[in-house]
Amino acid sequence: MTDPAIVRFAPSPTGPPHLGNLRTALFDWLLARATGGRFLLRIDDTDQSRYNPSAEADMMGLLRWLGLDWDEGPDAGGPHAPYRQSERLLLYQQAAEKLIEVGHAFRPADEPDIVRLKTPSSGTITLQDAIRGEIQFDFDRVPQNPVLIKSDGFPTYHLATVVDDWAMGITHVLRGEEWIPSTPLHLQMFEALEYPPPQFIHLPLVTDHEGKKLKKRDPSFEARTYREAGFLPEAVVNYLALLGWHPGTEQEIFSPQELIESFTIANFQKSPAAFNEDRLRWFNQQHMMRLSDDDLMRRALPFLEAVYPDAAAHNESWIITLIHAVREELITLADAPASTGFAFEYGPLTEDAQTTLRTEQALPVISAFQSAAEALQSFDSESTSGLLRELRSQFKASYGWGGRAVMFPLRAALTGSIAGPHLSDVVALLGKAETLRRIEHTLAIMKS
Ligand code: GLU
């Protein structure tokens, strides 16, 4: 087993979190949990011009939703507090002074209130990346003399990240591949400040399905879109973990705990990973299938209530039965209202339903069902399926009508549509009074 890894997720609170951010956080979390280490949340808020006041809370909300709990952070506190860079300015100023002292930084004569790194004009520096191996940089090709302390007294990303990664005892830095070009500057500072550098792990890019780099601001990549669209957090975690990492086996469906158990740094891939929403939907469906009725009901309820505000007023076992009846149709939780709509409202008939009601079977079947249902005492799904079975065999024996010819008019009469869950479940869920009301309503239309 590897040593406990101390990792940090260091979002810049500049805008709505996207799935790429959360993938980085997930890998941080997996590494920390797999090694019995620690996961720190640090807010990289040194760019005051791009600061977005809701971004920090949004990020925390999404991390919590995914179950990526952190051991130290702005809310949780910890031995390295504070965890917002804007509250750590003194540390950066001290480090900048030290860099000036050892000849690796300077205050330009024409800009006396800023500090710049003094990049060597020649020579090389080598990054040992856990995924990409050794990468050598020529100093004459790296950004020259970048700013470390701005005139507002705030550090730039480069200085702040080096100082904090060292001060917080970070052992592994996981971040997107787009940060590789900044690494020589960081390595130079680690060396000049005599800080041992962390292990760098530059994660492969996430692209769209055409292989183009995903744009941060693309709304289809915004994390909250998926939460609102009824994706399960464990499915998102499962899917994101496989974007750039593999378990080394054929297994595809993982619980978060199984991911922790399978996680190893050696199984990151170098090549970009393509984000594919259809794949994510497939993963979601797989995880939905694994939930108990009870759990699925609890998670679907907020989505139901958003459309049918009195959904929660029904008793719990009724809602569980309802969810059970439709669960095979659900890909995300947000599909629940459409699939269960028949139980809450009786809408206009679909065209297929109208056609079915014009068949020669419709009137005799619906009338026979009406009498049988009126006579039926118990309306649980066992009794209702008994009733329907009997009806089917009667019509088969007397007229030779097939099952569909008998069931479709009833389905149309009871739900307004010819698709949906088992009819016996529909009848049991509607109950006697509502079932008969809908039958009468349909008969009245048919006879008018
Ligand atoms: N604040 C940086 C970002 O938003 C962190 C990069 C890093 O992990 O060093 O991506």
Side-chain angles (χ1 to χ4, degrees):
M1 196 41 156
T2 20
D3 289 339
I6 316 294
V7 297
R8 74 343 184 242
F9 174 53
S12 298
T14 53
H18 56 84
L19 290 178
N21 297 128
L22 293 174
R23 184 192 65 154
T24 302
L26 169 61
F27 287 135
D28 280 318
W29 181 81
L30 286 173
L31 180 57
R33 298 296 172 250
T35 58
R38 294 179 77 70
F39 176 38
L40 280 62
L41 175 62
R42 184 177 81 212
I43 305 298
D44 280 8
D45 58 348
T46 56
D47 190 347
Q48 297 288 295
S49 64
R50 289 169 63 226
Y51 182 73
N52 176 324
S54 58
E56 181 182 316
D58 288 350
M59 182 59 89
M60 287 189 183
L62 287 161
L63 291 172
R64 283 197 193 98
W65 171 60
L66 290 180
L68 307 181
D69 56 322
W70 51 97
D71 306 301
E72 300 174 31
D75 57 334
H80 307 100
Y83 293 90
R84 281 187 200 93
Q85 290 190 322
S86 60
E87 296 164 14
R88 301 169 62 83
L89 299 185
L90 192 59
L91 282 171
Y92 313 126
Q93 276 144 15
Q94 286 166 349
E97 290 308 327
K98 187 161 170 209
L99 285 169
I100 295 173
E101 236 171 78
V102 296
H104 279 270
F106 63 104
R107 286 201 173 79
D110 53 344
E111 313 165 291
D113 46 359
I114 71 171
V115 178
R116 286 179 181 275
L117 183 67
K118 193 188 288 176
T119 26
S121 50
S122 64
T124 62
I125 197 158
T126 303
L127 161 66
Q128 296 291 348
D129 185 81
I131 302 180
R132 288 170 191 277
E134 200 171 285
I135 306 176
Q136 218 177 54
F137 300 91
D138 291 325
F139 270 121
D140 57 5
R141 306 199 40 195
V142 308
Q144 294 300 298
N145 305 339
V147 175
L148 298 181
I149 301 273
K150 296 173 281 188
S151 57
D152 62 4
F154 274 68
T156 56
Y157 160 70
H158 301 301
L159 178 64
T161 198
V162 166
V163 169
D164 285 344
D165 287 346
W166 173 75
M168 295 179 173
I170 300 304
T171 59
H172 295 74
V173 166
L174 289 93
R175 60 187 177 200
E177 197 180 277
E178 66 273 20
W179 294 105
I180 290 180
S182 303
T183 321
L185 307 173
H186 303 175
L187 288 169
Q188 185 197 339
M189 285 188 267
F190 275 108
E191 221 173 275
L193 292 165
E194 298 179 348
Y195 299 160
Q199 168 73 67
F200 288 98
I201 304 173
H202 285 98
L203 303 170
L205 287 181
V206 181
T207 66
D208 65 12
H209 61 280
E210 288 170 343
K212 287 206 244 20
K213 184 175 186 306
L214 271 170
K215 287 195 211 65
K216 285 189 193 169
R217 300 290 165 246
D218 185 338
S220 65
F221 205 37
E222 266 183 38
R224 67 161 167 239
T225 314
Y226 293 88
R227 181 180 187 168
E228 285 161 11
F231 283 82
L232 299 177
E234 60 269 48
V236 175
V237 160
N238 188 167
Y239 180 68
L240 290 180
L242 300 178
L243 275 186
W245 178 86
H246 64 86
T249 65
E250 296 293 297
Q251 186 178 346
E252 287 190 294
I253 304 302
F254 288 84
S255 67
Q257 189 53 37
E258 289 172 315
L259 284 173
I260 294 173
E261 283 155 21
S262 317
F263 188 75
T264 137
I265 295 179
N267 286 356
F268 278 115
Q269 71 189 41
K270 287 196 187 79
S271 47
F275 174 72
N276 180 331
E277 194 177 325
D278 291 336
R279 279 288 284 164
L280 175 54
R281 290 175 67 79
W282 181 82
F283 274 92
N284 203 67
Q285 194 177 22
Q286 299 300 312
H287 281 271
M288 296 270 283
M289 279 163 41
R290 284 163 173 74
L291 298 180
S292 66
D293 286 342
D294 200 63
D295 196 359
L296 184 57
M297 181 279 285
R298 264 192 313 102
R299 303 206 211 190
L301 200 53
F303 289 87
L304 282 182
E305 284 186 281
V307 181
Y308 304 111
D310 58 351
H314 289 266
N315 75 47
E316 202 174 276
S317 72
W318 182 85
I319 302 187
I320 294 178
T321 311
L322 177 59
I323 288 291
H324 177 79
V326 303
R327 60 176 299 156
E328 277 166 30
E329 300 168 20
L330 308 179
I331 293 178
T332 78
L333 297 170
D335 296 332
S339 291
T340 58
F342 73 87
F344 296 104
E345 63 185 6
Y346 187 50
L349 299 167
T350 65
E351 245 172 69
D352 286 344
Q354 292 176 32
T355 309
T356 300
L357 291 178
R358 284 194 291 266
T359 58
E360 59 160 323
Q361 289 89 353
L363 193 56
V365 165
I366 295 173
S367 308
F369 174 81
Q370 185 183 34
S371 325
E374 272 167 356
L376 192 68
Q377 294 304 325
S378 153
F379 248 66
D380 59 24
S381 74
E382 214 172 298
S383 326
T384 58
S385 68
L387 179 153
L388 291 163
R389 209 176 317 118
E390 195 145 314
L391 215 59
R392 266 198 314 263
S393 56
Q394 273 171 22
F395 281 104
K396 177 89 193 159
S398 320
Y399 302 95
W401 293 346
R404 286 159 68 98
V406 176
M407 293 313 218
F408 274 27
L410 285 177
R411 189 179 276 292
L414 291 171
T415 68
S417 151
I418 58 167
H422 292 303
L423 202 51
S424 52
D425 290 338
V426 171
V427 176
L429 284 159
L430 293 178
K432 188 166 183 172
E434 180 64 10
T435 296
L436 291 172
R437 192 182 73 81
R438 292 186 184 189
I439 291 292
E440 274 152 32
H441 176 83
T442 311
L443 287 172
I445 296 176
M446 289 171 75
K447 290 175 184 161
S448 66

